[in-house]
């Protein structure tokens, strides 16, 4: 199963109003009646309180030392880093202490499932470390994906596309509004709105972006979403495919490739006025400008003809 499909599957199963940690819950039904709307609003209010509580725990909980051999990775939850990003992380953790502790949830067997920090834990293992700083979250299973998302949201390297998947998961599973999402994440409504423009891209493009999410930012995605709305889907698909395949191809070039094709300008042959066999002048028109170019001795009469042309245009306008 692809990364995108896994994330969609996770989103479909998240419920914050389910007290059971073991029983999978059904997806929240869409709002179709006033009663359902009232119930959903109540759940969103409750969820917002839980999210606020979770964010405080992430910010305030003191980290402790966790044995790396007791940590377990959950498939599909690990952030996908580009090779250069992973190498940079490894170089940083080789030279400096861990700045941001990982977050985990304790299992029934006394070991831990990683909530956020899979790459940090992986680097520590490669470096031969036996322990890592971590925060143990005492949270319900239904809040784990929230914890993973908000823990990663604190990272400045989280790509816009990964933020989109996180927001989309929360929105699909809870019915939470864009405004509430912005409040929960601590960013502006307009930023969330721009990030959600990824959802307007073709599904094939989102599937491709899940493998290299850092390649397309929300500003470029917003412009590509506009191109999709205007019917240039094939151009968008081709631009994103090339962007992901060619590291020298920039986002600006990809956006430019989705613009409408320029229509060829109509070319009009100039009008030539002759006196006998000799050319007197040439008249051309382009972009609203009429030009009259006199040749030979006729050039001495240009000012005279300018006055006559002026008088002619005025007389024609009076007739209208």
């Amino acid at each position: 199963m692809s990364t995108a499909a896994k994330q969609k599957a996770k989103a479909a199963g998240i419920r914050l109003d389910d007290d059971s940690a073991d029983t999978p819950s059904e997806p929240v039904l869409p709002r179709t009646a006033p009663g359902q709307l009232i119930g959903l609003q109540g759940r969103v209010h409750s969820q917002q309180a839980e999210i606020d509580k979770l964010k405080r725990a992430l910010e305030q909980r003191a980290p402790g030392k966790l044995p790396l051999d007791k940590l377990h990775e959950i498939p599909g939850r690990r952030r996908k880093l580009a090779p250069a990003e992973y190498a940079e992380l490894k170089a940083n953790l080789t030279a400096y202490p861990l700045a941001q502790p990982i977050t985990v949830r304790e299992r029934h067997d006394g070991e831990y499932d990683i909530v956020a920090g899979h790459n940090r834990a992986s680097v520590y293992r490669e470096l031969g470390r036996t322990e890592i700083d971590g925060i143990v979250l005492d949270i319900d299973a239904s809040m784990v994906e929230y914890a993973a998302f908000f823990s990663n949201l604190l990272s400045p390297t989280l790509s816009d596309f990964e933020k989109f998947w996180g927001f989309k998961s929360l929105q699909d599973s809870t019915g939470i509004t864009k405004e509430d999402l912005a409040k929960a994440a601590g960013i502006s409504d307009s930023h969330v709105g721009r990030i959600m423009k990824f959802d307007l891209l073709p599904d094939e493009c989102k599937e491709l972006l899940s493998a290299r999410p850092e390649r397309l930012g929300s500003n470029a995605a917003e412009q590509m979403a506009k191109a999709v709305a205007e019917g240039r889907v094939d151009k968008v698909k081709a631009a994103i495919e090339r962007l992901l395949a060619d590291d020298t191809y920039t986002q600006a070039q990809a956006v430019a490739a989705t613009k409408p094709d320029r229509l060829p300008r109509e070319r009009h042959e100039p009008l030539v006025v002759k006196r006998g066999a000799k050319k007197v002048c040439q008249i051309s028109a382009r972009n609203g400008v009429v030009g009259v170019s006199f040749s030979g001795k006729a050039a001495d009469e240009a000012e005279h003809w300018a006055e006559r042309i002026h008088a002619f245009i005025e007389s024609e306008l009076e007739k209208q």
Side-chain angles (χ1 to χ4, degrees):
M1 183 181 291
S2 68
T3 302
K6 289 176 182 175
Q7 290 172 332
K8 287 182 180 178
K10 289 180 192 172
I14 299 175
R15 283 281 296 277
L16 295 189
D17 55 343
D18 187 353
D19 292 330
S20 171
D22 301 316
T23 305
S25 56
E26 296 296 325
V28 177
L29 294 176
R31 295 178 291 190
T32 56
Q36 289 175 313
L37 176 59
I38 293 172
L40 177 59
Q41 289 172 336
R43 286 196 299 274
V44 168
H45 178 76
S46 174
Q47 290 157 6
Q48 183 63 56
E50 289 296 319
I51 290 171
D52 290 341
K53 179 181 177 182
L54 173 61
K55 290 176 70 179
R56 286 195 299 272
L58 289 171
E59 293 167 355
Q60 299 172 5
R61 188 72 61 88
K65 296 293 184 182
L66 298 174
L68 283 164
D69 61 358
K70 301 293 185 183
L71 303 184
H72 299 270
E73 182 171 331
I74 303 301
R77 190 179 291 167
R78 180 174 181 169
R79 278 192 61 205
K80 188 179 292 292
L81 296 181
E85 291 178 315
Y86 189 83
E88 183 179 355
L89 176 64
K90 186 172 182 177
N92 181 276
L93 294 180
T94 300
Y96 303 104
L98 185 67
Q100 184 181 347
I102 69 168
T103 52
V104 301
R105 181 171 180 265
E106 190 169 6
R107 295 158 37 130
H108 295 301
D109 59 7
E111 299 194 352
Y112 305 92
D113 286 334
I114 301 176
V115 174
H118 297 77
N119 289 298
R120 282 163 275 165
S122 176
V123 167
Y124 262 47
R125 288 191 179 101
E126 291 178 11
L127 294 176
R129 311 280 176 82
T130 58
E131 293 182 322
I132 189 169
D133 290 336
I135 297 172
V136 181
L137 296 175
D138 183 17
I139 56 175
D140 185 80
S142 62
M143 292 296 293
V144 170
E145 296 306 323
Y146 285 79
F149 174 62
F150 283 113
S151 292
N152 285 326
L153 190 64
L154 298 175
S155 170
T157 61
L158 189 69
S159 69
D160 286 342
F161 186 75
E162 288 171 295
K163 291 177 184 176
F164 156 69
W165 271 125
F167 287 146
K168 179 69 173 172
S169 296
L170 299 187
Q171 198 168 50
D172 286 351
S173 62
T174 68
I176 194 170
T177 66
K178 179 169 70 71
E179 292 73 23
D180 286 332
L181 274 175
K183 181 180 177 183
I187 59 180
S188 68
D189 292 355
S190 60
H191 190 181
V192 173
R194 185 168 62 252
I195 286 173
M196 295 306 292
K197 294 294 184 182
F198 279 104
D199 205 25
L200 301 178
L201 298 179
D203 288 342
E204 305 96 295
C205 294
K206 287 181 280 189
E207 188 72 33
L208 292 172
L209 284 168
S210 67
R212 298 197 65 188
E214 77 286 353
R215 289 292 287 152
L216 187 68
S218 59
N219 287 322
E222 184 174 33
Q223 296 180 67
M224 289 187 173
K226 181 180 179 182
V228 169
E230 294 173 353
R232 298 188 295 279
V233 178
D234 289 342
K235 283 180 172 288
V236 170
K237 289 181 180 178
I240 289 179
E241 286 175 359
R242 181 174 175 184
L243 183 67
L244 299 180
D246 182 358
D247 287 343
T248 65
Y249 195 58
T250 67
Q251 292 187 49
Q253 290 173 315
V255 169
T258 67
K259 299 297 183 183
D261 293 326
R262 290 184 178 180
L263 296 176
R265 292 182 178 178
E266 266 188 71
R267 297 183 63 87
H268 297 285
E269 293 298 322
L271 303 174
V272 178
V273 179
K274 294 183 177 181
R275 181 183 291 158
K278 291 186 178 181
K279 178 180 175 182
V280 176
C281 68
Q282 179 176 291
I283 304 171
S284 60
R286 178 182 290 180
N287 298 329
V289 177
V290 177
V292 183
S293 176
F294 289 90
S295 304
K297 293 181 179 179
D300 297 334
E301 303 176 15
E303 188 173 342
H304 167 70
W305 282 107
E307 292 176 355
R308 293 193 63 178
I309 292 171
H310 177 263
F312 170 75
I313 292 175
E314 282 192 334
S315 66
E316 289 297 309
L317 290 174
E318 288 175 0
K319 296 176 185 178
Q320 295 179 5

